[in-house]
């Protein structure tokens, strides 16, 4: 790859070809780093979103179990307190 760029820039001059190749290599490295960082950030976001969904489902299950296992008087007391707030 570098030899192809060097051949292309050789008509301009050796120093220009060298600096052009260096600039291209730096640009390619930055592009790869940017792309990789973006993909890692997307993966991290998906993991956090999935974890939040799991926590939400677990909380809903716990609340449902608590409501099913509570007696009628306790549920009425909680409802009254909730309606006051």
């Amino acid at each position: 790859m570098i030899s192809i760029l060097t051949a292309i820039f050789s008509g301009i001059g050796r120093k220009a070809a060298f600096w052009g190749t260096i600039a291209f290599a730096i640009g390619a490295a930055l592009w790869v780093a940017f792309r990789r960082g973006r993909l890692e950030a997307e993966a991290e976001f998906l993991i956090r979103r999935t974890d939040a969904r799991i926590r939400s489902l677990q909380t809903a299950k716990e609340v449902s179990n608590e409501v099913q296992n509570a007696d009628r008087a306790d549920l009425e007391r909680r409802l009254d307190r909730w309606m006051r707030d």
Side-chain angles (χ1 to χ4, degrees), residues 53-72:
R53 181 170 168 78
I54 290 170
R55 279 193 309 274
S56 172
L57 290 171
Q58 288 174 341
T59 302
K61 182 179 176 183
E62 291 171 2
V63 168
S64 176
N65 288 339
E66 187 177 325
V67 168
Q68 287 178 354
N69 294 333
D71 62 340
R72 185 76 177 164

Side-chain angles (χ1 to χ4, degrees), residues 73-85:
D74 185 38
L75 291 176
E76 288 178 2
R77 183 180 52 80
R78 286 183 182 190
L79 178 63
D80 287 339
R81 189 176 63 206
W82 182 68
M83 292 297 285
R84 275 185 280 142
D85 293 340

